[in-house]
Amino acid sequence: MATATAVSPSLPKTRRAGTARDITVTDPALVRRAVKAAALGNAMEWFDFGVYSYIAVTLGKVFFPSGNPTAQLLSTFGAFAAAFLVRPLGGMVFGPLGDRVGRQKVLAITMIMMAAGTFAIGLIPSYASIGVGAPLLLLAARLVQGFSTGGEYAGASTFIAEYAPDKKRGFFGSWLEFGTLAGYIGGAGLVTLMTALLSSHDLVSWGWRIPFLIAGPMGIIGLYLRMRLEETPAFAAEVAKAEAARPKVPLRAMVAGQWKALLLCMGLVLVFNVTDYMLLSYMPSYLTSELKYDETHGLLVVLGVMALMMIVQPFAGALTDRVGRRPVIAAGCAGFLFLSIPALLLIREGSLVAVGLGMGALGLLLVCFTAAMPAALPALFPTRVRYGSLSIGFNVSVSLFGGTTPLVVTALIGATGNMMMPAYYMMAAAVVGGFAVWRMSESAGRPLPGSAPAVEGR
């Protein structure tokens, strides 16, 4: 048993240190509070961010010249993808900052920036009112969103991973994506309700603003939740070692010093986000614009798939603690490689049952990633550079591959006329992800690199 020693006042009460055998004894109540606050904040962030994609067809009519509907949709998704171009910049700012001043402070900043950017979209006049200024203002708001999101996922997953006991890190980490799905469902549910209750004219003229304006009060709630959090035991221990403020880690050390882990991170994030944005962001527009599916029915299908994923999510997270992260992620890669074509053929069949079965199959495969990644990705990096390196690797990969998925697939379908492009794109991503899984080490049940073992207290 470790011998207790005096600790810095900045250390949370969960930390008990010893001489040669340091150990972190976690307080279950504090862990649950940290997980809840991170997940709820993430839900609010992704409500803001996800609403944009759910109402993309309407936004195309509001912010871009009338004419070709496909061109309008491409322009809307172009603004969507533009936000991902600045995500690496946000990661390079917020990630190193989180390793220096703390995870909690940075997560509070990203929360309020995202809410402000989303709220601003709801105030922008239409193209019919101010012309080209409308899409330019939309782009500016999207860039603010993208910059803040550059520090969000890496910070939230790092926060939960550093709080959780080693043997339950997968279970607790899975609640982060549970929050993401809750945010998506909130956004999709609101858009579905509006499309059902409002006429097309009312939706285009004023109804589309409602979900964006909700971001203001939601941001205040999220900020309150995150400001109440204590710093993680792992970060506090690093501060205690330095006997002062957290020393600055050069950006080069976060990249060149971690290049193998960064490549693995980018490969894992590629398959995770290509499939995630394909299913949750692109498919509603695919059903409407390419398959001429009714907007309300298309959104209801996606809503049902996300509800199914939420039910399975915690159980899948606990499974990764028992069997490991690698087998679960590998199963997801294999599933997308071999089942993407059959699933999309079911979706293209057109009936509600067939579409539901195809989308449900893809959703269950996606759970393999949403349940495992929040615990697997932070375990790739040591504590002193975890937030920064993970932010860089995660956001570079998302910017190049994940966020551009709707734009690229829409363009590929337009250029080739091949409606099976979504399946081929997911299959290619599965191959990359499979290689990354083959090269990664198992982290389930083991301490995070650079951190003491963490066990659950009573």
Side-chain angles (χ1 to χ4, degrees), residues 35-66:
V35 171
K36 181 175 69 173
L40 286 175
N42 206 51
M44 292 176 185
E45 287 254 359
W46 288 98
F47 172 89
D48 299 344
F49 208 77
V51 158
Y52 185 95
S53 59
Y54 294 133
I55 206 165
V57 174
T58 299
L59 292 180
K61 299 174 183 177
V62 172
F63 287 106
F64 298 97
S66 59

Side-chain angles (χ1 to χ4, degrees), residues 193-236:
L193 184 64
M194 291 192 309
T195 55
L197 297 179
L198 299 178
S199 66
S200 298
H201 177 268
D202 287 341
L203 190 63
V204 172
S205 62
W206 59 268
W208 66 270
R209 298 183 185 274
I210 294 174
F212 295 102
L213 294 177
I214 289 174
M218 287 183 68
I220 295 174
I221 295 172
L223 181 64
Y224 169 75
L225 290 171
R226 290 187 168 180
M227 289 300 292
R228 292 182 66 242
L229 296 174
E230 295 181 8
E231 195 48 79
T232 69
F235 177 81

